[in-house]
Amino acid sequence: MMPGDAAKPGAAELAYEAIRSRILNGDFVQGQRLTEQALALELGFSRTPVRDGIHRLIHEGLVERGKGYSTRVAKFPEDELEEIFEIRRRLESYAAGRAAKLASPEQIAELQALAERMLAHTPPKSPDDYRIISVANEAFHRTIYEAACSPRLLAVISVAVDIGVVARTYYLYEEVDLLRSAQHHREITDAIAARSPEWAANVMSAHVLAAAAAAMRIAPRGDGSPE
């Protein structure tokens, strides 16, 4: 273990964030092998926090295991992307409809604050803007899941919706995609605040369809380069 590593609070969290950021911004490409030793040297940590960070990323779907003990940045074939977004569209549209009926005033206020935060940083002008938008986006959708008041639905979404795919493609969207997404978030919030399940479900469906179209446009080919 490197000197001072044991006393450093949150080393695993810092390693996780550093590796995740490099995957999301494209520094580490699909299929690229990740080794604990190389990452530890690059990030200045011992192998233990790096290993913990990689394990978290495997659970998120951003990293996958290869042969033996090797790990690599996860690949997302085109047909798998289509399936992921279609499952997400159906589940999230249903969640938005339920949220329009069941969301608390506090949850609606939280959705409004998150939607405005995303709009304020769109289009992003710095890596920090991208981080703020991505974090707010995850919180926005999570709040809708919770506002749907269905433990069963929440459990299904947590398994079916691949956070890694959503987060990675979000960083690759063009300015027009991000602007459309931010506007969708505001309209979804308006629909939920208006207690209109059909409106909320329809806008959420359009929101995920637009995300799917953008993801398919930027999906890498088998050689790892974009279309």
Side-chain angles (χ1 to χ4, degrees), residues 31 63 101 103 119 140 171 203:
V63 173
K101 294 185 290 184
L119 278 168
F140 182 90
Y171 273 71
V203 180

Side-chain angles (χ1 to χ4, degrees), residues 51-71:
R51 185 182 303 120
D52 291 343
I54 288 175
H55 285 166
R56 283 184 64 182
L57 292 166
I58 289 172
H59 287 302
E60 287 187 4
L62 283 170
V63 173
E64 61 188 11
R65 294 196 182 278
K67 294 180 180 180
Y69 294 100
S70 67
T71 55

Side-chain angles (χ1 to χ4, degrees), residues 20-168:
R20 188 176 192 266
S21 175
R22 284 164 170 76
I23 293 173
L24 293 178
N25 66 26
D27 287 346
F28 296 158
V29 299
Q30 293 191 35
Q32 180 174 338
R33 188 180 179 191
L34 301 175
T35 65
E36 292 175 10
Q37 184 175 2
L39 287 171
L41 287 172
E42 179 182 345
L43 301 176
F45 296 113
S46 70
R47 293 176 64 172
T48 299
V50 169
R51 185 182 303 120
D52 291 343
I54 288 175
H55 285 166
R56 283 184 64 182
L57 292 166
I58 289 172
H59 287 302
E60 287 187 4
L62 283 170
V63 173
E64 61 188 11
R65 294 196 182 278
K67 294 180 180 180
Y69 294 100
S70 67
T71 55
R72 62 187 182 187
V73 179
K75 295 181 179 180
F76 300 108
E78 186 172 315
D79 58 345
E80 187 175 337
L81 273 178
E82 291 177 354
E83 183 180 20
I84 288 170
F85 276 99
E86 178 58 17
I87 292 171
R88 181 186 166 201
R89 183 185 71 80
R90 292 171 183 249
L91 291 175
E92 295 208 38
S93 295
Y94 178 62
R98 283 184 61 87
K101 294 185 290 184
L102 302 170
S104 68
E106 292 77 17
Q107 287 170 325
I108 292 173
E110 177 67 10
L111 290 172
Q112 290 170 335
L114 289 166
E116 292 306 317
R117 187 180 308 162
M118 284 182 273
L119 278 168
H121 291 272
T122 302
K125 298 178 177 61
S126 68
D128 195 48
D129 282 337
Y130 272 103
R131 183 191 62 79
I132 291 169
I133 293 169
S134 182
V135 170
N137 179 65
E138 290 183 26
F140 182 90
H141 287 272
R142 185 172 60 251
T143 300
I144 289 178
Y145 305 157
E146 294 168 353
C149 299
S150 172
R152 187 182 300 275
L153 177 62
L154 186 59
V156 171
I157 287 177
S158 67
V159 173
V161 176
D162 194 318
I163 296 173
V165 172
V166 176
R168 187 190 298 178

Side-chain angles (χ1 to χ4, degrees), residues 107-115 140 144 183-195 199-200 203:
Q107 287 170 325
I108 292 173
E110 177 67 10
L111 290 172
Q112 290 170 335
L114 289 166
F140 182 90
I144 289 178
Q183 291 161 358
H184 281 159
H185 287 135
R186 173 179 276 177
E187 187 174 357
I188 291 167
T189 302
D190 290 343
I192 291 173
R195 302 299 184 184
W199 181 14
V203 180

